[in-house]
Amino acid sequence: MELLSELKLHHPISVEDAVSLHAAAPTGRYLAGGSDLLVNVRRGIEQPGSLVYLDNIAELQSITDAPDQITIGAGVTLRELANSALVHEHFAAVAQAAGEVAGPSHREYGTLGGNLCLDTRCVFYNQSEWWRAANNYCLKSRGDICHVAPGGKKCFAAFSGDVAPALLLFDAEVELAGPSGRRRMALAELYRNDGMDHLTLETGELLVAVHVAKPSVPVTSAYAKSRVRGSIDFPLAGVALRMAMRDGRIAELRVGLTGVSPLPFLAGKLDKFIGRAPDQACLEDLRDAIRSQAKAMKTTVTPPHYRRRVAGALTLKLAQSLAQDLVEASS
Amino acid sequence: MTKTIAKTVLSLNLNGVVRDDVIPDNLLLVDYLREKASLTGTKIGCDGGECGACTVLIDGRPRHACLTLAATCQDSEIETIDGLSRDSRLTALQRGFNEKLGAQCGFCTPGMIMASEALLRRIPNPSETDIRDALAANICRCTGYVKIIEAVQFAAQALTEGEPAA
């Protein structure tokens, strides 16, 4: 029998209670589905003295529809998100991304909040205690060398959540609750480019909900990922793409990336594609632009150059498919 | 002075039987099942949600018992492979895995059957794609999956022909 490190489990029924319980034991963690956190606890990466269990808090569990936006509780499961007709209708890439997370059993209990706050991952970090000990640990946990870039002092562990890049396409906002009250900020501001400390959450802050404004006109979007095993794995690279066309030319283009750096991000410098017809030459230029921005490091057993190429290839495939849909819809 | 370990009085329905146990808060559900309840059908195949061998049903939904704290299952209904057969009679799924050779070494089989059980309750007549999707989080190193899919199809056929599920 394997007992985890000693901990106290709390069962609050309101967000405010959860925040107070966490504040009383700051070395603790919030626990939702647990498919990320409990693996790390089992491997000795994390040893929280207490866990504040969020599943009994009604406020976190629902998707709410308003005329101009939808609000998705952080405790909504990935299965619910993937199957939501409302989310499909307005934010197809978000529903697709949720449906691509891990395997079906994980999506039964893994939550939106958990996927957005997923710990960064690295082949030198997500290992058993004895494996990490045998390698003198690493910069991210207990060690002082980064095995990915041994000369540096920066951690390159990759953010590997699937849903964040899709939500970034729609300028989603996150609602946070903490000891000093509630606040809202852009989802993009939740992340920083540091594999050791990639979330900008303050101590004791809890992700409560995601607010996404409905686009004023219907928007076409999609998500695709590459992974080692098609049935279950984290993304080697994940691409979310949003496109609109006017008069046969690209009128709007956004590309969100995950799995290739310590944070999910929207690709920059895509203005040059606005006004171009989405022909093969244009979309291959787009592929190359994304490939150059997907600066994957040696954080998986799959080589970085493959992940850069696959980020570009996924972008090309998605863009071709969406452009074709848009052309057919307008004809 | 003796150190106090955080404990919970856990009350749940396990394979149709209501139980109360005093358990430490850091006890995983899979260890509760195997060590406290002596139901060793549920297997531990990996250290973190990758293999699916520990799949059980919590309130009818498949979940990894190795990534669930037992103390979070208060008032839940939990079903494991140990509770499927009734009166020594195998369920259609168990017969399917037997007759179609869906089990070789057998280690993944409890998880495979529980994930399949959840599928057949949701979709009594699943397509091959439905079966592949439902079992995507369960790894088998022996069969190559073809025989497992045939086993689930056998069970679906038997159930649609009127055989009681258990």
Side-chain angles (χ1 to χ4, degrees):
Chain A
M1 184 161 76
E2 174 197 12
L3 278 175
L4 304 179
S5 57
E6 204 170 298
L7 55 87
K8 166 85 183 139
L9 188 67
H10 299 285
H11 304 261
I13 56 167
S14 74
V15 167
E16 284 62 36
D17 285 353
V19 170
S20 317
L21 286 162
H22 192 289
T27 61
R29 293 289 305 265
Y30 293 112
L31 173 70
S35 57
D36 185 41
L37 177 60
L38 289 183
V39 180
N40 286 355
V41 176
R42 285 184 69 175
R43 290 177 174 171
I45 290 173
E46 303 229 23
Q47 299 193 330
S50 71
L51 291 175
V52 179
Y53 185 53
L54 304 173
D55 204 36
N56 301 318
I57 302 176
E59 182 188 343
L60 303 181
Q61 316 297 335
S62 59
I63 301 177
T64 317
D65 188 18
D68 57 343
Q69 67 162 18
I70 70 168
T71 300
I72 310 168
V76 167
T77 66
L78 294 163
R79 177 184 57 80
E80 291 168 313
L81 191 56
N83 293 342
S84 164
L86 184 67
V87 177
H88 260 289
E89 181 187 344
H90 298 285
F91 315 106
V94 175
Q96 287 173 13
E100 292 283 305
V101 178
S105 316
H106 305 86
R107 296 194 292 273
E108 291 281 354
Y109 60 98
T111 64
L112 170 63
N115 197 254
L116 294 180
C117 297
L118 199 71
D119 193 7
T120 52
R121 301 183 63 80
C122 177
V123 70
F124 296 99
Y125 173 71
N126 299 99
Q127 299 287 355
S128 62
E129 170 65 25
W130 65 263
W131 195 103
R132 288 179 296 119
N135 285 278
N136 290 326
Y137 299 99
C138 77
L139 204 55
K140 184 164 164 65
S141 173
R142 296 165 66 179
D144 47 20
I145 290 179
C146 172
H147 301 295
V148 171
K153 281 290 168 197
K154 178 171 160 42
C155 169
F156 293 97
F159 180 80
S160 304
D162 291 292
V163 185
L167 283 169
L168 287 176
L169 297 180
F170 300 98
D171 296 323
E173 290 193 332
V174 286
E175 180 176 341
L176 310 171
S180 49
R182 295 205 181 202
R183 64 178 176 132
R184 268 172 79 152
M185 66 181 185
L187 173 64
E189 290 171 24
L190 180 64
Y191 302 105
R192 66 165 76 92
N193 193 2
D194 178 354
M196 275 191 287
D197 188 18
H198 70 299
L199 294 176
T200 59
L201 290 171
E202 286 169 13
T203 306
E205 263 190 327
L206 170 67
L207 175 57
V208 173
V210 175
H211 303 275
V212 207
K214 291 178 185 170
S216 50
V217 291
V219 160
T220 307
S221 68
Y223 177 79
K225 74 195 269 193
S226 168
R227 41 186 166 176
V228 174
R229 295 167 294 179
S231 60
I232 191 169
D233 275 315
F234 289 97
L236 295 169
V239 177
L241 195 142
R242 165 179 176 170
M243 188 191 280
M245 279 171 52
R246 203 170 301 124
D247 303 327
R249 293 175 183 280
I250 296 173
E252 184 184 44
L253 180 66
R254 286 183 171 199
V255 179
L257 294 171
T258 188
V260 291
S261 78
L263 80 174
F265 63 97
L266 286 178
K269 299 179 195 157
L270 299 184
D271 288 350
K272 60 187 174 191
F273 295 98
I274 305 299
R276 287 182 67 178
D279 52 23
Q280 189 66 16
C282 166
L283 298 185
E284 286 182 3
D285 283 351
L286 173 62
R287 174 196 66 194
D288 295 343
I290 297 303
R291 191 188 286 171
S292 69
Q293 293 185 47
K295 300 192 187 310
M297 298 289 284
K298 202 179 66 181
T299 55
T300 72
V301 289
T302 307
H305 74 269
Y306 174 84
R307 289 159 61 213
R308 290 174 204 159
R309 291 184 70 88
V310 90
L314 289 171
T315 305
L316 175 61
K317 203 181 284 184
L318 281 178
Q320 284 171 330
S321 159
L322 291 192
Q324 191 176 342
D325 290 351
L326 288 164
V327 168
E328 283 171 7
S330 66
S331 60
Chain B
M1 194 176 122
T2 317
K3 207 174 169 192
T4 314
I5 298 172
K7 294 190 184 74
T8 295
V9 179
L10 177 66
S11 182
L12 48 68
N13 182 319
L14 179 53
N15 293 330
V17 178
V18 176
R19 289 179 59 109
D20 297 302
D21 294 279
V22 177
I23 56 157
D25 281 5
N26 57 353
L27 183 68
L28 292 167
L29 177 62
V30 72
D31 292 323
Y32 167 80
L33 294 171
R34 293 177 57 87
E35 308 289 335
K36 274 268 182 192
S38 301
L39 298 179
T40 54
T42 305
K43 304 301 184 207
I44 304 169
C46 71
D47 68 349
E50 293 179 46
C51 77
C54 67
T55 306
V56 299
L57 303 189
I58 303 182
D59 296 328
R61 298 202 165 276
R63 184 160 178 157
H64 300 114
C66 81
L67 290 183
T68 304
L69 288 173
T72 62
C73 299
Q74 195 68 263
D75 300 323
S76 298
E77 195 169 303
I78 295 184
E79 296 167 80
T80 73
I81 186 74
D82 317 80
L84 279 190
S85 67
R86 291 275 183 273
D87 303 324
S88 302
R89 184 176 160 74
L90 298 181
T91 64
L93 265 171
Q94 288 170 314
R95 284 205 298 114
F97 273 76
N98 183 29
E99 295 190 18
K100 293 293 177 183
L101 304 179
Q104 286 185 22
C105 87
F107 200 82
C108 74
T109 310
M112 286 286 179
I113 290 184
M114 296 316 289
S116 305
E117 178 74 22
L119 167 70
L120 293 184
R121 287 185 198 174
R122 194 163 46 86
I123 309 175
N125 199 1
S127 66
E128 183 177 331
T129 306
D130 292 334
I131 298 171
R132 286 179 177 274
D133 287 350
L135 298 182
N138 294 73
I139 286 176
C140 172
R141 302 286 81 172
C142 306
T143 64
Y145 302 100
V146 173
K147 293 294 177 185
I148 290 174
I149 292 165
E150 288 177 10
V152 180
Q153 287 168 331
F154 174 97
Q157 172 104 20
L159 292 171
T160 48
E161 285 168 1
E163 181 177 319

